[in-house]
Amino acid sequence: STFTSNENVSRTGKVKGAKIKPIPDSLLVNVAAVGILQYTQPARCLEIVDEIEKRGNDNRFNCERARMNCYTFLSRYSEMIDSGERCLKLADKFAVKPDEAIIEILQSLATACSSANFYDRSIYYAQRGIDYAEKRGVYYVTVGYLHFMMSSVLNQMGYTNNALREAIEGYDISKRASCDYDERHRWSYQTAIVAAIVNLCDQMGDYNSALKWARVCGRTIENIRTSSEKMPAVAITQIESGNKIKIARFLHLLGQSHQADSLFNTVDLSLSESSKSIRQVLMRYYSAVGDYRN
């Protein structure tokens, strides 16, 4: 086996003797089974995917898609882009649903390039995704989300007004009825878009608009909870609590302290122990109300 050639290294890629479960042989059957490994041990996962492809246990597209994920989590962005381009070429031949696969890859490339501060590349892939999706059907939710990603890059580049216009345009597009592929993640995508609009309005000091959009965000979060989207309940609660704290802060800044206090008292502050995002919005809230000790 290629996984035991080094006597000091276990099949998990870690030093022998460490208390960790070995990688079962079943992971070599299909690349889909290495999903968690892409996040937890991406370097190790690359070796396993190479072996899967060499043995012919999965097709080239699925293997390349896993490599792209691994390169992303290893922050090897140039290799990620090359891998993504190979995925795009392989999708028509090997993907079960080529259109959806191509749109997803373009979206992933835009996101990863944004994280890497490859601004031009991120906008290029987002626009490419928009153009492809618009030609292939009613992917309005995804197109809206891609506009939001372009907005994120514009904001990072300092073009705040343009970023806000792009995000609002994305939200308006995302409200249209879309295909089944899109509808299954409508509310989580819309929540991400609206949350970005809230932050942009806040950044610009427009607290009336920020409050209005935060209330819209509250409704999209409620829709995640009642929809069939597979988001963990604890994640929904954290997003919802963070949005409530933002609303309370905006109310305070607009002189509506009584309403702000009533809303803030409904938030479970113990969530801050496990959520960095909750801690961040709490700090801004306490600063706004002058509670500097907290």
Side-chain angles (χ1 to χ4, degrees):
S1 169
T2 59
F3 303 112
T4 55
S5 59
N6 185 334
E7 62 180 8
N8 294 318
V9 178
S10 73
R11 295 179 72 210
T12 63
K14 300 215 171 180
V15 177
K16 283 185 176 179
K19 293 182 179 179
I20 188 168
K21 292 181 180 179
I23 297 171
D25 290 337
S26 60
L27 283 181
L28 297 178
V29 175
N30 188 289
V31 75
V34 303
I36 294 175
L37 208 64
Q38 297 170 19
Y39 303 90
T40 57
Q41 299 180 53
R44 187 64 179 155
C45 189
L46 281 172
E47 297 177 17
I48 294 173
V49 171
D50 286 344
E51 186 71 9
I52 288 171
E53 189 169 33
K54 186 172 73 175
R55 294 185 182 196
N57 286 353
D58 208 327
N59 68 57
R60 291 168 58 202
F61 172 77
N62 287 339
C63 291
E64 198 60 60
R65 187 70 180 89
R67 286 194 190 94
M68 179 183 164
N69 288 341
C70 291
Y71 290 136
T72 301
F73 289 104
L74 288 166
S75 299
R76 289 160 58 176
Y77 293 112
S78 294
E79 289 166 286
M80 174 210 72
I81 291 169
D82 290 343
S83 182
E85 289 290 351
R86 288 194 292 272
C87 283
L88 293 170
K89 292 175 182 176
L90 293 166
D92 277 331
K93 183 175 181 181
F94 293 107
V96 176
K97 296 180 178 179
D99 285 346
E100 293 175 9
I102 289 169
I103 290 168
E104 183 183 320
I105 292 161
L106 290 168
Q107 185 173 303
S108 297
L109 283 165
T111 303
C113 287
S114 175
S115 299
N117 295 333
F118 293 177
Y119 298 140
D120 289 347
R121 275 283 186 171
S122 182
I123 289 176
Y124 164 74
Y125 283 119
Q127 188 61 58
R128 193 168 158 188
I130 289 168
D131 294 342
Y132 187 89
E134 287 179 340
K135 289 178 182 176
R136 295 292 175 157
V138 286
Y139 292 94
Y140 292 120
V141 177
T142 292
V143 169
Y145 190 81
L146 287 164
H147 277 282
F148 146 68
M149 293 170 72
M150 294 180 74
S151 165
S152 176
V153 174
L154 288 168
N155 189 43
Q156 290 178 69
M157 295 172 70
Y159 301 117
T160 310
N161 287 319
N162 291 344
L164 181 59
R165 282 196 296 271
E166 194 76 40
I168 291 173
E169 181 182 355
Y171 177 66
D172 288 340
I173 292 169
S174 77
K175 289 190 291 185
R176 302 178 194 173
S178 200
C179 61
D180 290 343
Y181 169 78
D182 267 12
E183 291 295 345
R184 68 186 183 188
H185 48 221
R186 165 178 291 282
W187 301 115
S188 58
Y189 275 26
Q190 283 199 343
T191 296
I193 298 168
V194 178
I197 295 171
V198 172
N199 292 337
L200 285 164
C201 292
D202 185 10
Q203 183 179 324
M204 298 169 74
D206 184 354
Y207 301 123
N208 278 304
S209 294
L211 177 60
K212 180 192 78 172
W213 284 105
R215 284 174 169 154
V216 174
C217 191
R219 293 194 290 272
T220 63
I221 294 166
E222 287 174 9
N223 286 326
I224 296 176
R225 199 184 296 280
T226 57
S227 73
S228 59
E229 290 197 54
K230 296 178 180 178
M231 183 180 289
V234 65
I236 299 172
T237 300
Q238 285 183 345
I239 296 168
E240 185 177 52
S241 298
N243 192 59
K244 283 183 177 179
I245 296 169
K246 288 180 184 178
I247 291 175
R249 176 170 157 266
F250 298 143
L251 288 169
H252 260 296
L253 291 168
L254 292 168
Q256 301 175 48
S257 298
H258 180 71
Q259 291 183 48
D261 292 341
S262 296
L263 179 61
F264 184 76
N265 290 333
T266 67
V267 177
D268 180 2
L269 298 183
S270 68
L271 292 168
S272 63
E273 297 173 8
S274 58
S275 172
K276 178 182 177 183
S277 63
I278 295 290
R279 291 195 294 274
Q280 288 174 329
V281 293
L282 269 175
M283 286 195 301
R284 299 199 74 191
Y285 171 83
Y286 287 131
S287 177
V289 301
D291 186 353
Y292 300 113
R293 182 178 296 278
N294 268 319

